[in-house]
Amino acid sequence: MKKLIMGVLLGAVVAGVVVFLANADGKEFGYGSGGEEEEGERTVEGDSEMMTEQEGINEVIQSSYSQGEYDLNEPLVIEDPYGAAPLTALAKFETEEAQEITVTVQGQNGGGNISHTFDGYETEHEVPILGLYPDHDNTVVLEAENEDGDTSETELTITTDPLPDNFLNTELIEADKERMENGLTFVVPSGEYAYGVDSNGDVRWYSSMPNSHVFQRLENNKLVFLTQKVEQSGQYNLILEMDMLGQVSFGSYIDVTNFENWGVVHHDVIELPNNNFLATDHDGSGYIEDDMVEIDRESGEMVDELNMKDIFPEEMYEDYDGPSSDEGDWFHQNAVWYDEHDEDILVSSRHQDAIVDMSYPDGEVEWILADHEGWPEEFQDHLLEPQGEDFKFPGGPHAVMTLPDQDENPDTTDVLLFDNNIAVVRGDENQSEEFSRAVQYRINTEDFTVEEVWSYGEERGEEFFSNIVGDADYLEATGNRLITSGHAFGEGDDLHSRIVETTDDEEAEVVYELKVSGFEEGESRQAYRAERMPLYPEEWEFNLQNE
């Protein structure tokens, strides 16, 4: 094996030398901090700076490769080629006849191998290596198979550095590997390192670029990733599309002149059916976290906007006196979800204790899932009527999503969300803060009724209560639920995040549980969400030309 050590974080290429740029140093970012009252100017523009820098990195790789002869037994190996994913590498080599390549990183301590076959028979090979352990001499096997079924292989050793000193701690509590959904569990922070752990709780991937809130796989099998335009600025304002090696293929930068705090893009970015992004942002007014912009995936510029102040009456935001009212944070939109069945969007409002279904881009409200207290007269007919004696409306909710059809009834829609159960401006104050939960509601859109059909969390009481942040995901292969109570206090004020995978049974069983710690209150480094997905996407045709 011949190695080319890149050691960059999207570094500048100067006279053929790749220069390392420092990572974020764990600077504290205040959760929910807002902007100034005076009007500011917002700009949304494409950003190709990282792609340009990566072109220089690719040129270094190609130049080094052209100066040698690299085959299966002696490949060129570039560790962390883009300085963005330290537990990855790239192997580049050629074979005399067309071969199909399988790469395997061998597991340790009973952990599973991470393996992937790149479909197709080629003679030139650029093979991403994912799933390395930190601080370890990793054994990596490259296997080549020709079209006659004959195989050959080589074994590599790739040595990795330890995790950063300020990395979060991940403790495995339980793992029933036979009943878990396949894939790594990716911990998505409010600020700092996004990372993935296997069923043993071992870190097998992380990004050295700071991340906040936004990390999910797209239809093209790449990631949407929210980071900082200028590292250590504290402002998360750069939306990237990139692969698991850190190769960037799209960037959009949002700047708001009167906003100096952390979350310019603050909670969510989703992919619309037209391929554009829809991002929660600030509009430059004296109110925050109540706006969304649609971003063109070609230009990176804003092509549409939807603002909650244009939907709800003035008194709702002018008279709001709940948490963060002095910062103009009357709505606090923390999630947006596109419902393919109804072709509309669902938004989650923490400070209105509500889930709102509306058309997009018009913003015509269809229904509101919230306690009926205090809503303006014009929205009374949109409020869902609860069914059942033990029904509870959500309080300070997060992470709403629609589920696949659950009852073969075209008039119903099932939604899953994380109910923090904190009554912000409305709701049941008698139960508030006693627990948090994942809950599935069934909504009949014909008669405007809603019932609870499943939940998990009440039985764990205050140990599962998260006053901020949280997530609940439906896992399609098993029907399991992945639940994140992101800001929970245990015994002795033990602040931590707890990630739990349960079955969908009426009395749900835990099949996987992680405890994430190592952060303090106010740092905003907790787990905001968790995602379960294979480390390698199903289809990935990597090439240095980024085509």
Side-chain angles (χ1 to χ4, degrees):
M1 177 181 70
K2 302 174 185 177
K3 296 199 293 183
L4 175 61
I5 308 296
M6 300 301 290
V8 296
L9 180 58
L10 300 173
V13 180
V14 182
V17 178
V18 182
V19 181
F20 179 80
L21 301 179
N23 295 325
D25 61 0
K27 178 181 178 181
E28 293 188 6
F29 308 122
Y31 183 86
S33 52
E36 303 171 1
E37 291 187 0
E38 65 267 17
E39 292 287 330
E41 181 180 352
R42 175 186 55 196
T43 57
V44 184
E45 58 188 15
D47 191 288
S48 60
E49 181 178 353
M50 295 177 74
M51 289 179 283
T52 300
E53 291 171 343
Q54 288 189 353
E55 289 175 4
I57 293 170
N58 291 341
E59 289 175 4
V60 172
I61 296 173
Q62 294 285 27
S63 176
S64 178
Y65 183 75
S66 66
Q67 295 173 29
E69 295 183 2
Y70 300 98
D71 58 20
L72 178 67
N73 294 321
E74 286 286 336
L76 176 66
V77 176
I78 307 100
E79 298 175 13
D80 188 11
Y82 301 107
L87 303 183
T88 72
L90 177 66
K92 186 170 172 59
F93 58 94
E94 64 179 282
T95 52
E96 291 185 0
E97 61 178 330
Q99 305 269 6
E100 186 173 71
I101 306 299
T102 297
V103 58
T104 301
V105 176
Q106 293 185 354
Q108 63 171 345
N109 301 324
N113 295 343
I114 290 181
S115 184
H116 184 75
T117 298
F118 291 89
D119 294 336
Y121 296 88
E122 307 288 344
T123 57
E124 292 285 342
H125 307 280
E126 295 172 348
V127 181
I129 300 171
L130 309 180
L132 302 172
Y133 291 93
D135 196 19
H136 184 64
D137 295 329
N138 291 270
T139 299
V140 179
V141 177
L142 296 175
E143 180 183 278
E145 180 178 351
N146 66 21
E147 295 181 86
D148 294 328
D150 299 325
T151 62
S152 56
E153 66 179 44
T154 190
E155 187 175 290
L156 315 174
T157 299
I158 299 179
T159 302
T160 51
D161 292 330
L163 295 172
D165 291 339
N166 58 343
F167 208 84
L168 295 176
N169 304 316
T170 309
E171 177 186 354
L172 179 67
I173 305 299
E174 183 174 349
D176 185 343
K177 299 179 183 180
E178 297 300 318
R179 294 199 290 170
M180 290 172 56
E181 183 95 356
N182 182 46
L184 296 191
T185 302
F186 287 86
V187 179
V188 184
S190 287
E192 208 159 316
Y193 304 107
Y195 67 99
V197 301
D198 62 16
S199 58
N200 275 5
D202 292 323
V203 177
R204 308 294 294 273
W205 187 93
Y206 78 95
S207 175
S208 50
M209 291 192 299
N211 175 264
S212 178
H213 291 178
V214 176
F215 181 100
Q216 57 184 294
R217 188 157 281 161
L218 301 166
E219 288 293 324
N220 64 7
N221 288 316
K222 296 182 180 180
L223 298 173
V224 57
F225 187 98
L226 177 62
T227 190
Q228 300 169 16
K229 169 68 174 174
V230 179
E231 276 203 79
Q232 302 179 353
S233 69
Q235 285 202 325
Y236 286 93
N237 48 18
L238 180 60
I239 300 169
L240 299 178
E241 175 188 285
M242 72 179 196
D243 64 25
M244 299 304 293
L245 281 179
Q247 186 183 53
V248 175
S249 50
F250 170 86
S252 180
Y253 167 59
I254 300 180
D255 181 57
V256 181
T257 57
N258 70 335
F259 189 83
E260 298 179 355
N261 291 296
W262 67 278
V264 177
V265 180
H266 51 80
H267 280 91
D268 216 349
V269 179
I270 66 168
E271 190 174 24
L272 294 171
N274 63 6
N275 199 45
N276 287 346
F277 286 137
L278 185 61
T280 58
D281 76 327
H282 302 304
D283 64 352
S285 72
Y287 296 94
I288 66 170
E289 305 200 10
D290 59 2
D291 189 75
M292 290 176 282
V293 291
E294 182 178 340
I295 299 171
D296 184 86
R297 286 279 284 281
E298 295 294 330
S299 68
E301 298 176 355
M302 182 176 76
V303 294
D304 215 330
E305 179 180 16
L306 182 59
N307 194 292
M308 297 301 108
K309 293 190 295 294
D310 295 330
I311 297 172
F312 296 100
E314 290 182 1
E315 60 264 26
M316 283 191 68
Y317 50 90
E318 290 182 348
D319 298 341
Y320 172 75
D321 61 357
S324 302
S325 59
D326 58 334
E327 298 164 354
D329 192 8
W330 68 281
F331 195 79
H332 198 97
Q333 182 185 345
N334 54 38
V336 57
W337 177 270
Y338 184 82
D339 181 1
E340 295 181 356
H341 179 261
D342 292 330
E343 298 183 339
D344 53 12
I345 60 172
L346 281 68
V347 299
S348 171
S349 168
R350 180 182 190 269
H351 288 176
Q352 295 298 326
D353 299 300
I355 304 297
V356 184
D357 180 286
M358 63 182 69
S359 63
Y360 181 81
D362 300 325
E364 293 291 333
V365 173
E366 301 294 332
W367 51 257
I368 300 173
L369 172 60
D371 189 280
H372 293 199
E373 175 190 354
W375 285 95
E377 180 65 29
E378 59 262 45
F379 291 100
Q380 290 295 319
D381 290 342
H382 298 280
L383 295 168
L384 299 172
E385 290 291 338
Q387 307 293 298
E389 295 182 2
D390 297 325
F391 184 91
K392 177 190 170 304
F393 283 110
H398 284 77
V400 64
M401 68 179 301
T402 57
L403 302 184
D405 181 46
Q406 302 286 298
D407 62 353
E408 298 183 354
N409 182 349
D411 294 335
T412 62
T413 297
D414 281 53
V415 300
L416 181 70
L417 58 89
F418 188 81
D419 174 13
N420 293 75
N421 185 32
I422 180 168
V424 181
V425 296
R426 56 177 59 87
D428 189 346
E429 294 189 2
N430 292 326
Q431 294 187 73
S432 181
E433 303 187 34
E434 291 185 354
F435 57 84
S436 294
R437 63 179 185 159
V439 56
Q440 178 181 341
Y441 294 103
R442 181 161 296 155
I443 296 165
N444 189 304
T445 54
E446 286 296 306
D447 59 18
F448 275 68
T449 59
V450 57
E451 60 178 320
E452 288 186 25
V453 296
W454 181 90
S455 68
Y456 174 86
E458 298 98 319
E459 60 271 44
R460 298 187 65 158
E462 290 185 1
E463 74 155 12
F464 206 63
F465 170 68
S466 178
N467 61 326
I468 58 172
V469 304
D471 190 20
D473 290 344
Y474 175 81
L475 304 179
E476 292 189 3
T478 58
N480 290 349
R481 315 299 165 86
L482 188 67
I483 309 162
T484 304
S485 181
H487 199 260
F489 288 90
E491 295 181 1
D493 292 332
D494 173 26
L495 180 61
H496 62 275
S497 302
R498 199 168 288 270
I499 300 169
V500 178
E501 181 182 355
T502 75
T503 64
D504 65 347
D505 301 315
E506 183 175 350
E507 295 187 7
E509 298 181 52
V510 175
V511 298
Y512 185 65
E513 183 164 344
L514 295 173
K515 179 181 177 182
V516 178
S517 59
F519 58 91
E520 297 181 2
E521 191 168 9
E523 286 185 327
S524 292
R525 297 198 302 130
Q526 67 274 336
Y528 175 68
R529 289 177 176 170
E531 303 290 336
R532 175 67 56 76
M533 59 188 182
L535 184 53
Y536 283 95
E538 290 184 8
E539 297 181 6
W540 184 13
E541 296 181 4
F542 174 85
N543 63 79
L544 289 172
Q545 285 71 42
N546 200 8
E547 297 174 348

